[in-house]
Amino acid sequence: MSTLTPLADAGARLAALEREAAHQEALSAGDGRSWVGERDGEHPVVIVGGGQAGLVLARGLRRRGIEDVVVLDSAPIDATGPWTTYARMHTLRTPKDIAWPTWGVPAASPRAWFEAVYGETAWDDIAFFPTVAWQGFLQWYRTVAGIEVVGSTALTSITPTDADGPLRLHLEGPDGSWVLLARHVVLATGIEGAGGRYLPSLLDALPADRVHHTHDAIDFAALAGKRIGILGAGTGAFDNAATALEHGAAAVEVHMRRPAMPQVSPYRWMEFSGLIENYGSLTDSQKWTFNVHLSAVDQPATQNAIWRAHAFDGFRFLTSSPWQSVEWDGTDVVVTTPHGIHRYDVVIAATGIVADLSRRPELSKVAPDATLWSDRLSPAQVAENPGLAAFPYLDDDFGLVGRSAAAGSALSRIHMFNHGARISQGMLSHQIPGLVGGATKLAAALSRRLFTRDAEALMAEYLAYDVPVGVHIGRRPVPADVTG
């Protein structure tokens, strides 16, 4: 992939773009009235996650007059999201021209930023947004939108006080532990937001330094000269294989259990507004069928990732190659497949994530009360795909659903704007193609619920409103300097 070089006058072009964004903001900002704020120490909305989903939602809430929004992230503010850690691809996997929620300010769009920095010709030359550029855009977007992110601060648990009381957020940051009160909590925590990394049990006996997951912070420089085996053949497998080879790995083999790489990507079919906006209207049975099929068909690794890995002589791709056993003999990781015995220095699991709310520290106190899809399915359906059945069952506002009425009110104010929404809401959360529909839907839902909470107070304010508008009865006065 060729290296993008910013234009010589990129700074001036960005400054002009920021002025245009401010102008568009002024033209489309509505009345600009902030109508909900902190009450008795309780913030109306706290967003956990300062990546693309959290930033977009925070901006959307502000456009609706909800100014008091706290945004937190466990990573430093310049390293939010996966783009500087385990997202090891050169480009995003979605096309460059995918819709982006601009909230009436197109100057704050990815394309406008890219063209300001790299030029219109560079935009025409790419098919997918470069990953490094995407991280740069998000950092600029955060700044130009005026969104303050409290970085290096982890949410360790959420404790409901009572059905209608505030949610207590227990936080751990550079200055120690503290508690924040919130009416609504949005977990914009990405692909691991409803569980964690999945490592097959056959890898359990390996020494910790001999096995990694693709989402781990891997020291690839330390893998120079090593033989590496990768279990799984999604895009992440090829990206990690190429990254290892680029850092001097001696050989990398990617193993796929399927006989051939899938040739159809259902996600490309899914990227139209009809589905994105209306997926929630499907019945539970339809949602289940939709996702079981999606898991069965899967999607191919991206062409760019495959070519990137195959560019190295030390790369091999093996199909019909499930790992039947894995052992540590004191020197090598010994993997048995239908192709025979393979010996590696290190193995990497490109095995994705698992849904399990109990694995999320922030949800540990509420997970036992949260309804799962398995609670709404027949035993036969659960057996069809136990992994999908473990996903949380969410309401139409992305909120958790309590197993009991007592738990329901508080849990419904914990919104899963992450991969946990996959079955209940489709691709409306952390995935770029769904952010337009998802952020719009969730921002509107939070606005409605906060308005409902404050309806009596707003009515009282309305009935007491007595600010004169300055109407004068009689003829319009003629200015003193007008003659004739």
Side-chain angles (χ1 to χ4, degrees):
M1 175 185 171
S2 60
T3 302
L4 282 169
T5 303
L7 297 172
D9 61 344
R13 290 166 65 94
L14 266 184
L17 182 65
E18 289 165 13
R19 290 192 295 271
E20 177 60 23
H23 180 61
Q24 292 174 1
E25 181 92 26
L27 290 174
S28 61
D31 62 11
R33 177 182 178 185
S34 176
W35 58 272
V36 62
E38 181 180 330
R39 191 171 76 177
D40 298 326
E42 176 190 275
H43 297 277
V45 181
V46 173
I47 299 173
V48 182
Q52 59 199 28
L55 293 176
V56 164
L57 180 62
R59 187 172 178 87
L61 290 171
R62 179 176 296 172
R63 299 283 287 173
R64 283 172 164 77
I66 304 170
E67 293 281 353
D68 182 24
V69 177
V70 179
V71 183
L72 311 167
D73 201 289
S74 58
I77 59 172
D78 290 330
T80 57
W83 310 111
T84 60
T85 54
Y86 65 81
R88 299 182 176 109
M89 69 283 279
H90 284 164
T91 67
L92 303 188
R93 298 170 187 174
T94 47
K96 67 178 181 180
D97 55 358
I98 201 74
W100 175 260
T102 63
W103 305 113
V105 184
S109 67
R111 177 173 181 172
W113 176 87
F114 188 94
E115 290 184 346
V117 175
Y118 300 107
E120 292 80 358
T121 299
W123 176 262
D124 292 337
D125 289 343
I126 64 170
F128 301 93
F129 216 97
T131 301
V132 171
W134 186 251
Q135 176 69 0
F137 162 70
L138 291 176
Q139 297 303 317
W140 175 82
Y141 181 86
R142 186 196 74 220
T143 301
V144 80
I147 299 170
E148 181 178 352
V149 176
V150 182
S152 303
T153 300
L155 173 61
T156 59
S157 68
I158 301 172
T159 306
T161 52
D162 55 55
D164 296 317
L167 299 166
R168 294 176 62 85
L169 311 186
H170 302 267
L171 306 170
E172 187 73 35
D175 298 324
S177 303
W178 48 299
V179 173
L180 197 65
L181 301 181
R183 171 60 28 182
H184 293 270
V185 178
V186 177
L187 300 178
T189 43
I191 195 169
E192 293 187 31
R197 298 160 197 183
Y198 172 60
L199 279 172
S201 59
L202 84 167
L203 304 179
D204 288 348
L206 298 180
D209 63 340
R210 300 291 177 150
V211 59
H212 304 288
H213 189 279
T214 52
H215 287 193
D216 292 343
I218 302 173
D219 181 1
F220 282 95
L223 300 183
K226 305 295 186 183
R227 301 161 298 164
I228 302 168
I230 298 182
L231 176 59
T235 300
F238 289 89
D239 284 330
N240 278 263
T243 302
L245 290 162
E246 288 162 359
H247 283 78
V252 180
E253 294 181 338
V254 167
H255 295 256
M256 175 186 244
R257 70 177 185 274
R258 296 174 185 265
M261 180 66 70
Q263 294 298 304
V264 175
S265 177
Y267 286 93
R268 296 292 80 83
W269 178 88
M270 292 160 58
E271 292 168 356
F272 66 100
S273 59
L275 178 73
I276 291 173
E277 294 173 2
N278 301 303
Y279 174 93
S281 65
L282 294 175
T283 65
D284 283 358
S285 177
Q286 289 170 327
K287 290 177 181 179
W288 181 250
T289 299
F290 187 100
N291 284 279
V292 168
H293 176 75
L294 180 60
S295 291
V297 175
D298 204 358
Q299 63 177 327
T302 62
Q303 185 65 74
N304 285 342
I306 293 172
W307 282 339
R308 181 184 170 198
H310 275 284
F312 293 86
D313 293 336
F315 176 75
R316 287 184 68 205
F317 174 41
L318 298 101
T319 57
S320 299
S321 189
W323 288 12
Q324 298 165 322
S325 67
V326 179
E327 298 175 354
W328 171 247
D329 70 359
T331 303
D332 296 334
V333 178
V334 183
V335 176
T336 302
T337 76
H339 297 288
I341 303 297
H342 309 261
R343 293 182 174 274
Y344 301 117
D345 299 300
V346 173
V347 296
I348 299 175
T351 46
I353 58 94
V354 61
D356 182 356
L357 296 184
S358 67
R359 292 182 59 173
R360 301 297 306 181
E362 67 271 21
L363 295 173
S364 59
K365 295 185 178 180
V366 301
D369 295 322
T371 300
L372 306 179
W373 269 87
S374 58
D375 298 316
R376 299 298 179 97
L377 299 170
S378 69
Q381 287 174 310
V382 173
E384 190 176 19
N385 195 317
L388 289 180
F391 271 74
Y393 184 91
L394 306 182
D395 63 25
D396 205 41
D397 298 342
F398 296 83
L400 293 171
V401 175
R403 295 179 187 270
S404 65
S409 178
L411 264 64
S412 75
R413 291 185 278 115
I414 301 174
H415 307 267
M416 303 288 286
F417 199 46
N418 56 35
H419 190 62
R422 169 182 167 176
I423 305 179
S424 298
Q425 293 294 333
M427 57 175 186
L428 289 183
S429 51
H430 66 293
Q431 294 173 294
I432 297 172
L435 280 180
V436 170
T440 302
K441 182 175 184 177
L442 183 51
L446 291 168
S447 177
R448 169 177 46 79
R449 292 181 66 170
L450 289 167
F451 186 89
T452 300
R453 180 200 67 169
D454 292 347
E456 288 300 321
L458 290 167
M459 280 295 294
E461 180 183 324
Y462 161 67
L463 294 173
Y465 183 75
D466 62 354
V467 178
V469 295
V471 174
H472 297 277
I473 304 301
R475 287 175 179 259
R476 181 176 181 178
V478 178
D481 61 344
V482 175
T483 59

